[in-house]
């Protein structure tokens, strides 16, 4: 009997569900005439795991349920309800599943409510579930991308599908994303082909829950030598297909109810910027910036980061000698200095202690050095770290072990740590192991508050909280003695920690910065610091947070390319000669070019500092030889006028560029970073090698 299909439509998608099973059997992109699901028989609704004693991998599949779900539907919403479920090895269980797809903000939003009255834990749920992720028409390649360290990470899905896990781990080539690069920390993923046809999946609410991206290619590779999949729809008499899901780790205990993190779906056609726009049109409902950001941090400026000690005892600069760093910053017009390794034991040792290292001087000597630097007009920001406890600390067993994030076996997780300088560390022999701590434990947050207070009492202008973006290798904590539920998200109290810090400095100007902060963290961090090397860097955080302060490392000794990237993406320069162990005077060519770049965007700040970053949307750059250039960004000022930054990253060749705006307005003047003023042009102009132009 032919299944009865119920449908929903958005402006970009048509979704069809089998009324008898709840399976998503039709997914059609109007944006690109793409049958995302080509074979309805492969459609899926959901999948979940409820471990049994002696049979952990006990699964239930929505489309295999013996009883059809109840179905309620309108033009805007379809709801399927299963009053109980049947698992493959545990039989019928008292679990009520309510799966919903609704049209909201012109997107298909998937929600699921679980009511667990069984005796089992609901550990994993796959939903929404695309059972047949079919390639687009005339597709040469397909990929999946998601945010990672303020940029994008890419996985090939066609014609090759590498296995992210070992072949010992899974039955099929599998993509499964681990810990901190998961949603909701990186809130959306893009499935796209080489022609700009794409499918967006992203979080539909601002909430911290454990989730991941999961895909499998069945039945397996055609050629494992290069991970090549089949072009044909069948292989060895079997269907050849990819299935893709949002994987949730809710750990719903017996007797509990739980709502999965909601996800939305939308089709698009265009670049990754277009795909990311599917998120920004929704996230503007909950995004904001901190109200307390110091005024100096909102101005065009640059930093110097300098490291004075490591776990291997470099002891580079004593506290009483630190004012010479301030003198260098003042000489070169650098506004702020980030001091790293000042704490006892040096960088990545002794965490979470923020006691000054007595081998470098006393607390009062550091406080006095900070005072002198501040008197020069230089802001002093202290490197800080709260996510870890150093396993080698003498008090680890007595103080920190009980507060560490625990796995389901009640063992604490161990992070690999970092290696410094010596051969013993670089070969990972004597690395200090770092133990992720649970912010859900109020006792640990109190310890962090006490350590943060030391930074405040030293008179610093702020902190830069290193590795605030993750709790690797954890996603969840299973130690209920901390005062939270079993399997709670490790990220659930990140905001509480910073709000506690904010309360402690509410009566003074104090910067709270963090490393590569994930999207939600922009709401309560004043600045995000990262490293963004690479000509192919995709500035995802800048695009989805156009008003956020973002800073990146500049380490090269004639680093015009990175400084051009700073102009392109409105990144603050963090000068870091000798891998942030040198002084500004160590690389004069880089500092000279950086000063010119900062002067340019100060002069033209209405566009390139105060203006809105639009990325690659709204304009294009043709080359004189007929090609195109993609290293450009469009900015829009408060009055609606647009300008562009165009970079020539080539080391040797000049390029003749012909920039244009989609709105038809003519660009008529440009300024190279090396120039002191604007130059008029008609249709195009030349950008020398390793240079960049601001165009208005």
């Amino acid at each position: 009997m032919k299944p009865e299909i119920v449908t929903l439509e958005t402006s970009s998608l048509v979704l069809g569900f089998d009324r008898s099973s709840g399976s998503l059997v039709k997914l059609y992109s109007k944006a690109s005439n793409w049958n995302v699901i080509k074979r309805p028989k492969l459609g899926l609704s959901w999948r979940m795991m409820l471990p049994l004693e002696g049979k952990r991998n006990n699964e239930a599949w929505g489309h295999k349920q013996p009883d059809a779900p109840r179905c309620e539907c309108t033009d805007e919403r379809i709801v399927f309800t299963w009053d109980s479920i049947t698992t493959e090895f545990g039989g019928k269980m008292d679990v009520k599943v309510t799966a919903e797809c609704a049209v909201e903000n012109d997107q298909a939003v998937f929600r699921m409510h679980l009511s667990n009255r069984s005796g089992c834990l609901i550990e994993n749920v796959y939903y929404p579930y695309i059972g047949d992720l079919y390639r687009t028409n005339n597709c040469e390649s397909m990929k999946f991308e998601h945010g990672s360290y303020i940029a994008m990470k890419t996985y090939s899905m066609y014609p090759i599908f590498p296995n992210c896990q070992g072949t010992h781990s899974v039955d099929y080539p599998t993509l499964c994303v681990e810990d901190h690069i998961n949603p909701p920390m990186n809130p959306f993923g893009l499935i796209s082909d080489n022609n700009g046809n794409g499918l967006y999946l992203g979080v539909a609410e601002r909430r911290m829950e454990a989730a991941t991206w999961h895909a499998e290619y069945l039945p397996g590779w055609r050629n494992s030598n290069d991970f090549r999949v089949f072009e044909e729809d069948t292989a060895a008499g079997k269907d050849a297909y990819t299935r893709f899901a949002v994987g949730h780790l809710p750990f719903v205990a017996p007797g509990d109810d739980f709502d999965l993190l909601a996800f939305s779906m939308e089709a698009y056609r265009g670049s990754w910027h277009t795909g990311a726009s599917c998120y920004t049109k929704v996230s503007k409902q909950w995004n904001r910036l901190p109200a307390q950001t110091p005024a100096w941090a909102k101005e065009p400026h640059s930093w110097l980061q300098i490291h004075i000690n490591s776990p291997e005892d470099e002891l580079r600069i004593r506290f009483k000698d630190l004012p010479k760093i301030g003198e260098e910053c003042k000489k070169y017009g650098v506004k702020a200095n980030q001091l790293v390794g000042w704490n006892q034991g040096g960088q990545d040792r002794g965490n979470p202690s923020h006691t000054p290292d007595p081998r470098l001087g006393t607390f009062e000597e550091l406080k006095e050095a900070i005072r002198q630097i501040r008197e020069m007009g230089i802001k002093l920001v202290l490197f800080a770290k709260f996510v870890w406890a150093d396993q080698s600390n003498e008090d680890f067993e007595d103080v920190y072990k009980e507060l560490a994030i625990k796995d389901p076996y009640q063992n604490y997780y161990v992070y690999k740590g970092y290696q410094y300088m010596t051969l013993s560390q670089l070969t990972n022999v004597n690395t200090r192991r770092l133990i992720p701590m649970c912010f859900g434990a109020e006792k640990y947050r109190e310890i962090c508050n006490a350590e943060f207070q030391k930074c405040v009492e030293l008179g610093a202008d702020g902190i830069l909280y290193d590795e605030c973006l993750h709790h690797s290798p954890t996603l969840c904590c299973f130690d209920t003695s901390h005062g939270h539920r079993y399997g709670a998200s490790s990220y659930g109290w990140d905001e509480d920690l910073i709000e506690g810090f904010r309360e402690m400095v509410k009566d003074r100007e104090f910067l709270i910065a963090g490393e590569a902060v994930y999207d939600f963290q922009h709401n309560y961090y004043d600045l995000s610091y990262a490293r963004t090397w690479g000509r192919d860097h995709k500035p995802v955080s800048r695009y989805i947070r156009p008003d956020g302060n973002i800073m990146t490392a500049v380490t090269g000794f004639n680093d015009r390319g990175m400084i051009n990237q700073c102009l392109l993406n409105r990144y603050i320069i963090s000068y870091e000669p000798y891998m942030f162990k040198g002084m500004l005077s160590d690389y004069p060519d880089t500092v000279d070019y950086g000063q010119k770049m900062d002067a340019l965007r100060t002069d033209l700040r209405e566009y390139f500092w105060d203006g809105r970053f639009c990325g690659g949307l709204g304009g294009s750059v043709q080359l004189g030889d007929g090609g195109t250039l993609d290293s450009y960004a469009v900015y829009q000022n408060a009055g609606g006028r647009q300008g562009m930054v165009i970079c020539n990253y080539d080391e040797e060749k000049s390029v003749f560029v012909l920039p244009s705006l989609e709105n038809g307005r003519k660009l008529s003047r440009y300024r190279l970073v090396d120039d002191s003023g604007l130059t008029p042009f008609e249709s195009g102009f030349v950008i020398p090698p390793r240079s960049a132009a601001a165009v208005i």
Side-chain angles (χ1 to χ4, degrees):
M1 186 173 67
K2 187 175 181 179
E4 182 183 353
I5 308 300
V6 290
T7 62
L8 285 178
E9 289 196 36
T10 69
S11 65
S12 70
L13 283 173
V14 179
L15 304 96
F17 297 85
D18 183 343
R19 182 185 282 270
S20 66
S21 67
S23 294
L24 179 62
V25 294
K26 180 181 179 64
L27 186 59
Y28 172 72
S29 166
K30 302 178 187 178
S32 50
N33 188 28
W34 171 24
N35 282 303
V36 182
I37 295 177
K38 182 180 179 182
R39 293 160 287 186
K41 66 178 182 178
L42 297 175
L44 296 170
S45 52
W46 48 262
R47 169 183 170 189
M48 60 184 68
M49 187 184 85
L50 295 84
L52 302 172
E53 186 68 33
K55 184 60 180 176
R56 270 193 47 78
N57 196 6
N58 173 47
E59 293 193 316
W61 296 74
H63 71 291
K64 293 183 179 180
Q65 295 304 301
D67 298 320
R70 296 195 306 279
C71 177
E72 305 170 50
C73 55
T74 68
D75 290 342
E76 300 293 319
R77 177 173 278 99
I78 298 175
V79 181
F80 293 98
T81 304
W82 292 261
D83 290 320
S84 62
I85 65 172
T86 298
T87 66
E88 293 188 328
F89 299 98
K92 189 173 182 178
M93 292 192 176
D94 189 3
V95 175
K96 184 176 181 180
V97 178
T98 305
E100 174 187 300
C101 183
V103 178
E104 300 174 15
N105 298 304
D106 200 28
Q107 296 176 329
V109 178
F110 292 81
R111 292 187 171 85
M112 179 178 284
H113 179 78
L114 299 168
S115 181
N116 185 9
R117 301 298 178 262
S118 76
C120 293
L121 189 73
I122 304 174
E123 190 164 310
N124 305 160
V125 180
Y126 302 69
Y127 182 79
Y129 211 164
I130 302 172
D132 179 30
L133 178 58
Y134 202 81
R135 60 187 179 272
T136 58
N137 303 325
N138 303 314
C139 170
E140 295 179 5
S141 63
M142 284 191 69
K143 63 189 176 188
F144 174 66
E145 295 181 286
H146 64 77
S148 175
Y149 200 74
I150 87 167
M152 288 282 246
K153 184 166 182 161
T154 302
Y155 307 80
S156 173
M157 300 183 77
Y158 177 84
I160 63 170
F161 193 121
N163 191 36
C164 295
Q165 275 64 37
T167 56
H168 54 77
S169 300
V170 291
D171 296 339
Y172 323 106
T174 299
L175 184 163
C176 191
V177 181
E178 298 179 67
D179 56 69
H180 69 286
I181 55 178
N182 277 321
M185 289 74 76
N186 290 280
F188 63 87
L190 306 175
I191 300 167
S192 63
D193 71 358
N194 56 292
N195 296 314
N197 302 304
L199 182 69
Y200 160 91
L201 292 111
V203 298
E205 58 182 322
R206 190 181 188 276
R207 181 160 65 97
M208 301 307 300
E209 298 295 346
T212 186
W213 306 109
H214 185 271
E216 299 170 304
Y217 181 78
L218 289 77
W221 293 304
R222 175 168 69 84
N223 178 356
S224 63
N225 188 44
D226 59 0
F227 312 124
R228 192 163 298 274
V229 300
F230 288 90
E231 295 179 14
E232 303 84 358
D233 288 353
T234 58
K238 304 174 179 64
D239 289 305
Y241 60 102
T242 299
R243 55 192 184 200
F244 189 98
V246 177
H248 304 260
L249 297 95
F251 295 94
V252 186
D256 285 352
D257 288 9
F258 191 82
D259 290 309
L260 296 185
L261 185 64
F263 276 78
S264 56
M265 188 182 294
E266 182 174 349
Y268 68 92
R269 180 168 173 77
S271 68
W272 68 265
H273 303 89
T274 309
S277 296
C278 300
Y279 175 69
T280 56
K281 72 180 184 182
V282 176
S283 64
K284 63 185 178 182
Q285 300 173 32
W286 57 73
N287 285 354
R288 57 176 175 79
L289 292 175
Q292 312 95 318
T293 300
W296 66 266
K298 299 177 183 179
E299 298 298 309
H301 69 284
S302 55
W303 291 37
L304 168 67
Q305 180 180 179
I306 190 161
H307 159 110
I308 61 174
N309 196 18
S310 82
E312 294 293 83
D313 305 328
E314 266 72 52
L315 303 169
R316 297 173 187 272
I317 305 176
R318 293 186 60 80
F319 295 150
K320 65 182 181 181
D321 297 323
L322 289 175
K324 68 182 182 182
I325 299 172
E327 291 168 2
E328 282 245 331
C329 290
K330 185 175 182 179
K331 176 181 177 181
Y332 292 102
V334 171
K335 184 66 176 178
N337 170 219
Q338 181 191 175
L339 186 63
V340 181
W342 60 276
N343 58 291
Q344 193 162 13
Q347 184 178 8
D348 291 316
R349 178 176 169 185
N351 296 324
S353 173
H354 290 72
T355 297
D357 194 317
R359 297 170 299 170
L360 297 172
T362 66
F363 186 99
E364 290 303 320
E365 284 176 328
L366 178 54
K367 184 174 183 178
E368 173 59 18
I370 292 172
R371 186 194 66 78
Q372 291 182 35
I373 291 170
R374 295 185 71 214
E375 277 196 349
M376 299 176 198
I378 308 303
K379 305 300 181 180
L380 195 290
V381 177
L382 292 172
F383 177 96
K385 188 170 289 193
F386 303 97
V387 72
W388 316 114
D390 183 344
Q391 191 182 35
S392 68
N393 287 347
E394 290 183 1
D395 59 353
F396 175 77
E397 289 288 328
D398 294 336
V399 176
Y400 296 106
K401 182 178 178 179
E402 66 171 334
L403 304 174
I405 296 174
K406 304 296 196 312
D407 67 19
Y409 315 109
Q410 295 305 300
N411 299 312
Y412 58 78
Y413 290 92
V414 179
Y415 189 61
K416 60 184 179 180
Y418 297 100
Q419 293 77 44
Y420 287 82
M421 312 306 292
T422 67
L423 200 59
S424 298
Q425 282 226 336
L426 296 176
T427 54
N428 203 24
V429 171
N430 68 325
T431 305
R432 308 273 176 173
R433 305 302 175 191
L434 302 175
I435 310 305
M437 304 302 292
C438 183
F439 292 162
E442 186 176 354
K443 183 177 179 180
Y444 184 66
R445 294 203 306 275
E446 290 173 354
I447 290 173
C448 292
N449 288 345
E451 297 300 325
F452 173 73
Q453 182 62 32
K454 296 174 185 177
C455 302
V456 177
E457 291 175 357
L458 282 166
D461 291 287
I463 63 165
L464 196 150
Y465 173 6
D466 190 51
E467 297 190 274
C468 66
L469 72 158
H470 69 103
H471 300 271
S472 295
T474 82
L475 273 180
C476 306
C477 183
F478 299 87
D479 189 341
T480 57
S481 73
H482 296 165
H484 57 67
R485 71 177 183 87
Y486 184 81
S489 168
S490 305
Y491 295 77
W493 296 270
D494 288 358
E495 189 165 346
D496 297 63
L497 181 76
I498 303 304
E499 286 185 339
F501 292 172
R502 289 284 189 196
E503 179 64 22
M504 294 167 66
V505 293
K506 64 182 179 181
D507 296 325
R508 60 176 289 182
E509 186 179 74
F510 197 92
L511 182 88
I512 296 182
E515 181 186 7
V517 304
Y518 58 78
D519 182 55
F520 291 174
Q521 287 180 316
H522 276 279
N523 282 25
Y524 43 101
Y525 280 81
D526 299 310
L527 180 145
S528 174
Y529 164 79
R531 301 169 192 92
T532 59
W533 302 304
R535 297 184 185 185
D536 59 349
H537 168 68
K538 295 179 179 178
V540 177
S541 284
R542 166 55 70 225
Y543 185 77
I544 63 178
R545 289 290 192 154
D547 299 324
N549 268 335
I550 301 176
M551 180 168 68
T552 190
V554 174
T555 62
F557 279 71
N558 193 354
D559 217 346
R560 295 170 67 98
M562 275 306 303
I563 292 170
N564 291 337
Q565 192 207 82
C566 288
L567 176 63
L568 182 71
N569 299 321
R570 216 206 87 184
Y571 293 160
I572 297 164
I573 297 173
S574 175
Y575 290 111
E576 301 180 13
Y578 294 112
M579 310 299 187
F580 64 98
K581 300 172 191 74
M583 302 287 273
L584 291 163
S585 54
D586 288 324
Y587 64 171
D589 290 338
T590 293
V591 175
D592 177 66
Y593 193 67
Q595 289 175 312
K596 292 176 180 177
M597 189 280 291
D598 275 336
L600 181 155
R601 68 174 166 197
T602 299
D603 292 345
L604 300 176
R605 65 177 295 167
E606 69 168 299
Y607 288 95
F608 306 115
W609 185 260
D610 298 327
R612 182 177 182 82
F613 178 85
C614 303
L617 301 182
S620 62
V621 178
Q622 301 295 313
L623 294 174
D625 62 7
T628 60
L629 187 71
D630 59 7
S631 52
Y632 73 92
V634 175
Y635 283 80
Q636 182 169 303
N637 70 14
R641 295 191 66 87
Q642 292 179 322
M644 297 177 76
V645 173
I646 308 171
C647 293
N648 178 13
Y649 288 126
D650 196 286
E651 291 284 312
E652 299 176 354
K653 298 178 181 177
S654 297
V655 292
F656 186 81
V657 297
L658 298 98
S660 61
L661 298 173
E662 290 180 2
N663 63 16
R665 283 187 173 177
K666 183 175 172 56
L667 296 165
S668 60
R669 293 178 292 164
Y670 73 93
R671 175 173 165 178
L672 300 177
V673 174
D674 288 303
D675 296 343
S676 58
L678 289 161
T679 301
F681 71 97
E682 284 299 323
S683 58
F685 58 92
V686 174
I687 303 180
R690 304 168 62 230
S691 189
V695 192
I696 59 175

